[in-house]
Amino acid sequence: MSQEILSLSLSSARDALRIGDIGAVELTEAYIAAVETLRSLNAFITETPELALEMAKASEARLAANEGGAMEGIPIGMKDLFCTEDVLTTAASHILDGFLPTYESTVSANLWNAGAVMLGKTNLDEFAMGSSNMTSHYGSVENPWRTSEEDNKKYVPGGSSGGSASIVAAHGAIAATGTDTGGSIRQPAAFCGIVGMKPTYGRCSRWGVIAFASSLDQAGPLTRTVRDAAIMLGAMAGHDPKDSTSMNLPVPDYEASLSGDLKGMRIGVPKEYRIDGTPADIEALWDEGVDWLKSAGAEVVEISLPHTKYALPAYYIVAPAEASSNLARYDGVRFGLRVDGNNLQEMYENTRSAGFGEEVQRRVMIGSYVLSAGYYDAYYLKAQKVRTRIADDFRQAWDKVDAILTPTTPSAAFAQGEKMDDPIAMYLNDVLTVPASMAGLPAISVPSGLSKDNLPLGLHVIGKPFDEATVLKVGQVIENAAGFTAKPQTIAGG
Amino acid sequence: MALDQEMVRRIATLARIKVPEENLAPLAGELNNIIGWIEQLSEVDTDGVKPMTSVVETVAPQREDVVTDGSAPEKVLKNAPQAETYFYTVPKVIE
C-alpha cells in the first residue's frame, strides 16, 4: 500500500482523501517514512515530522467535517527560503544560523490555510543563487535520476530549488514550493523530470520570502503533474497588501482551465532560442513538442525575440545589484551569525566573510561594483534599458501568438562538480528561462522526454502576463502527448 | 573597464566583505571574466529607451499613513546575536 500511496498525484490524493479512501494521517505517515529512506539525497535542511503529524490530524478532522481546503492533508516540502514561524529558516546560508522567524510568509500561510501539511524545509542554493544546488551551506542535493542502475555518478538536481525538485521526483513529498528568479523553479523541475511553474511577477506575494532579487523573485509550485501545479498555484496565489508588488486581481480556477483544447490558439517558436551547440536530442524534443501542439489544434508560427541573447548578461547585472542591496541586512546585528572584530566595520566584514559562501560573495561584489559611483550608468542603467527591450520583444510577440514554446534548459542534468570552476558556464543553464523572468512572465516546465543518456528533459511554455491559465492548459497538452512515465533510479517505495 | 586588485579591494570594502590579501588577484580575474562577458550589452541600441522601473504595468498602491504594526520588541530582538534591554548591541562606535 505504501508504494501505491506514494505514487498518487496531488489531485488523486486530494480526491482519495475527500472520499475517505485514504486518511490524512496515513498519507503523512507514509511520507514521513519515505523522507527517512531518502536522506541520502540531502533534499531537506530541516525535517518537521512531528509538526506534519499534528497538521495531518487537524486535516483529518476538517476532512471528516467536510471542511477541507484545496490542499487539505497534502504533505509538501517548503523551500527553506520561505520564513516559517518558529521553524528554522536558513536560505541554506551559514549567515542565518539559528534563525527562527517570528512570522510566517504569506505564501506558506496560504498553503497551511488551504490544508497543506509541512514535511520540512527543503535544501537550495545559498540565498537561491545557483543552478546546481552545489552552493548550499548544508551540502549539495542529489538528483534521484542517474543514466542507468550501473551509473554511480551523482547528478545535480538543478537549482536553486533543487531540494524541492529532488524530493518531489523521488516521491518524498507530493509537491513542494519553489522560488524562481532566473529559472530556479523551471530548471530543477526539468532536471528532475517533474513540473515546475513560475507565475507572473505579482501573482504570489513575496512577503516573508527571503529576498534575492526583488524585481524578479516569484514563488511557484513544483509538482508531479500539470493539474497538481494548477491546484497548488491557486492555493499559493492572491493579493497581499503586505507586498506592494502583489497584484490585486482575482485568482482564476486554474484547474478548470485544463480543457486540453488548443483549437484557434497560436503558439510561437522563437528562432533566437535555437542556440549553437544545443544537443540534438533537445532540438528533436522541441520539434516533437511543436507536433503535439499542432495535433491539439494549435497553429504554430515562428516568431522573433531579437534581444534574447542579451537577457542573461543583463540579468547578471540586475540580479546581483538587487542582491547586494537585499543582503546588506546580514550584518551580524539583527539575526544569525556574528563574528566579532575590533570595531563595528571589522565585525561587519568578518561576519559577512565567514557567513556568505563563495558564489554569494561573488554576486554581492558584482552588485556593489555595478551600482557604485561612476559605473551605475554604464552597467545598471544600461541593463534596465536592455530589460525594457526584452519586455518589448515579448509585447510584440503577443500581437501574434498566445503562448511560446521552447526547451527549458540547454542540456540535461550534469554531474556534481562539473561547471564549478567556470561561473559563466554555470550561468548559461538559465539562458532559456531568464528572458521570461526579465519580462515578469508566467512560464512552466513540463517533463517531456529523456535525453540520449536517459536523463529527463523539459519543454517550456511562456505566457502573457497573468495568463497562467493558458500556460497550464498548453502545459497539460504537452504532458498528455509526451506520456512521460519514466521514474528515477532513487524512488521511495520503488 | 578591467578591474584591478585595488578596485576589488574597494568593492570588498563597499560590500563589507573581508577578502584576504592573497584572494584579491584571483577574485579580480574571476570578476573580470564575468564583467567582460556582460560588456556585450554595449551592442544593444538603447538610445531613447526608458530603463525598466516596474516589471508589471501598474501604479504603486497607496495606503493611509498610519501605524499598522509594532509594539513587539521581544519579537524584533528574538534573533539578535546580542541584545540588552530592548536594544541591539554592537561594538563601540564612538572613541
Side-chain angles (χ1 to χ4, degrees):
Chain A
M1 183 62 196
S2 157
Q3 184 185 346
E4 223 173 278
I5 235 184
L6 297 174
S7 299
L8 295 174
S9 64
L10 193 163
S11 62
S12 310
R14 172 196 63 182
D15 297 345
L17 284 163
R18 280 186 187 165
I19 57 171
D21 260 8
I22 54 172
V25 172
E26 176 192 8
L27 182 64
T28 290
E29 280 174 343
Y31 273 99
I32 290 171
V35 166
E36 282 177 23
T37 68
L38 295 168
R39 284 201 180 126
S40 65
L41 296 174
N42 200 30
F44 282 99
I45 291 175
T46 306
E47 293 174 12
T48 55
E50 284 161 16
L51 182 61
L53 273 178
E54 207 179 292
M55 294 172 97
K57 279 177 195 157
S59 282
E60 203 146 277
R62 281 192 294 268
L63 284 161
N66 269 324
E67 289 167 359
M71 298 277 292
E72 199 66 59
I74 301 294
I76 63 168
M78 183 60 61
K79 186 177 184 181
D80 205 12
L81 203 64
F82 292 86
C83 286
T84 42
E85 193 169 357
D86 292 326
V87 176
L88 181 69
T89 299
T90 70
S93 182
H94 186 27
I95 212 158
L96 272 170
D97 275 2
F99 177 55
L100 292 173
T102 54
Y103 46 83
E104 187 78 27
S105 82
T106 299
V107 162
S108 56
N110 287 349
L111 285 165
W112 312 143
N113 288 338
V117 169
M118 179 161 80
L119 291 166
K121 303 295 291 286
T122 58
N123 206 343
L124 65 150
D125 280 297
E126 186 181 1
F127 282 109
M129 296 180 195
S131 309
S132 65
N133 224 124
M134 296 294 285
T135 72
S136 167
H137 176 64
Y138 296 88
S140 55
V141 175
E142 207 179 303
N143 191 323
W145 288 84
R146 296 190 302 281
T147 58
S148 69
E149 288 294 342
E150 292 71 39
D151 183 1
N152 53 23
K153 265 197 237 167
K154 288 179 179 175
Y155 291 83
V156 302
S160 67
S161 311
S164 290
S166 174
I167 203 68
V168 172
H171 289 187
I174 291 192
T177 56
T179 59
D180 192 312
T181 303
S184 279
I185 289 173
R186 293 160 286 158
Q187 183 252 18
F191 277 14
C192 292
I194 61 167
V195 174
M197 170 114 190
K198 180 197 95 77
T200 315
Y201 182 85
R203 184 56 96 180
C204 289
S205 169
R206 291 181 297 108
W207 195 82
V209 185
I210 294 174
F212 162 14
S214 304
S215 76
L216 295 154
D217 297 344
Q218 259 302 291
L222 290 113
T223 58
R224 295 188 206 149
T225 70
V226 174
R227 181 174 298 277
D228 293 1
I231 296 166
M232 188 162 165
L233 178 61
M236 296 168 74
H239 176 239
D240 177 11
K242 285 187 289 198
D243 171 4
S244 65
T245 62
S246 140
M247 293 297 282
N248 194 356
L249 293 171
V251 178
D253 180 349
Y254 293 124
E255 200 181 358
S257 67
L258 303 173
S259 65
D261 183 7
L262 303 187
K263 276 189 197 77
M265 196 174 279
R266 285 166 306 169
I267 311 281
V269 170
K271 60 180 183 193
E272 289 83 3
Y273 279 60
R274 296 201 186 272
I275 300 163
D276 284 348
T278 302
D281 45 8
I282 290 180
E283 290 275 358
L285 183 69
W286 194 6
D287 292 341
E288 217 171 350
V290 167
D291 291 340
W292 294 334
L293 297 181
K294 282 181 184 162
S295 302
E299 184 193 342
V300 179
V301 294
E302 187 180 85
I303 57 167
S304 175
L305 300 167
H307 296 89
T308 296
K309 71 173 272 208
Y310 301 108
L312 197 63
Y315 174 87
Y316 273 95
I317 291 177
V318 174
E322 294 182 10
S324 74
S325 171
N326 276 324
L327 271 58
R329 74 191 68 183
Y330 305 103
D331 56 4
V333 175
R334 283 161 294 172
F335 21 62
L337 183 74
R338 169 183 291 196
V339 180
D340 287 324
N342 289 318
N343 52 47
L344 186 62
Q345 170 89 5
E346 257 188 50
M347 187 278 280
Y348 289 153
E349 293 188 350
N350 291 343
T351 298
R352 290 163 64 82
S353 173
F356 291 146
E358 219 173 83
E359 180 62 20
V360 173
Q361 291 194 21
R362 191 154 41 215
R363 295 204 198 182
V364 168
M365 289 178 66
I366 290 174
S368 301
Y369 175 62
V370 300
L371 291 176
S372 64
Y375 299 95
Y376 179 89
D377 285 4
Y379 291 116
Y380 189 71
L381 205 63
K382 178 78 181 181
Q384 290 292 53
K385 287 178 180 176
V386 173
R387 198 172 170 188
T388 298
R389 302 219 68 168
I390 293 162
D392 284 344
D393 284 355
F394 280 107
R395 240 174 254 129
Q396 282 163 24
W398 302 136
D399 291 339
K400 299 189 196 81
V401 297
D402 304 295
I404 293 170
L405 178 75
T406 80
T408 310
T409 57
S411 77
F414 46 91
Q416 286 188 352
E418 281 177 24
K419 303 181 202 265
M420 291 302 285
D421 51 357
D422 184 355
I424 294 170
M426 190 66 89
Y427 299 166
L428 284 168
N429 266 290
D430 293 331
V431 67
L432 303 174
T433 48
V434 151
S437 300
M438 292 296 269
L441 301 170
I444 196 168
S445 178
V446 179
S448 306
L450 291 173
S451 73
K452 63 176 178 14
D453 298 321
N454 294 315
L455 294 172
L457 295 172
L459 285 173
H460 184 220
V461 180
I462 306 169
K464 296 177 187 174
F466 299 102
D467 192 14
E468 287 84 3
T470 295
V471 173
L472 287 158
K473 181 161 79 169
V474 176
Q476 199 197 36
V477 166
I478 292 170
E479 176 180 55
N480 288 341
F484 185 85
T485 53
K487 290 286 171 239
Q489 281 72 15
T490 302
I491 189 163
Chain B
M1 284 184 244
L3 280 83
D4 56 14
Q5 284 194 45
E6 209 35 57
M7 189 55 164
V8 174
R9 200 195 316 267
R10 198 174 98 79
I11 299 167
T13 305
L14 285 175
R16 300 290 185 271
I17 294 173
K18 184 182 176 181
V19 176
E21 200 60 28
E22 65 272 22
N23 290 0
L24 287 175
L27 199 54
E30 272 177 27
L31 296 183
N32 265 321
N33 276 342
I34 296 168
I35 296 289
W37 168 71
I38 285 171
E39 299 274 352
Q40 59 178 296
L41 291 182
S42 60
E43 297 164 16
V44 185
D45 179 5
T46 52
D47 285 352
V49 176
K50 282 192 182 151
M52 184 182 279
T53 49
S54 170
V55 67
V56 172
E57 288 163 37
T58 180
V59 282
Q62 307 266 312
R63 65 165 174 81
E64 291 298 313
D65 186 14
V66 290
V67 176
T68 56
D69 197 357
S71 304
E74 287 88 1
K75 279 189 167 187
V76 171
L77 291 168
K78 188 183 167 203
N79 284 285
Q82 279 183 29
E84 268 176 45
T85 57
Y86 291 170
F87 290 99
Y88 295 113
T89 57
V90 295
K92 194 174 149 193
V93 287
I94 301 166
E95 292 302 323

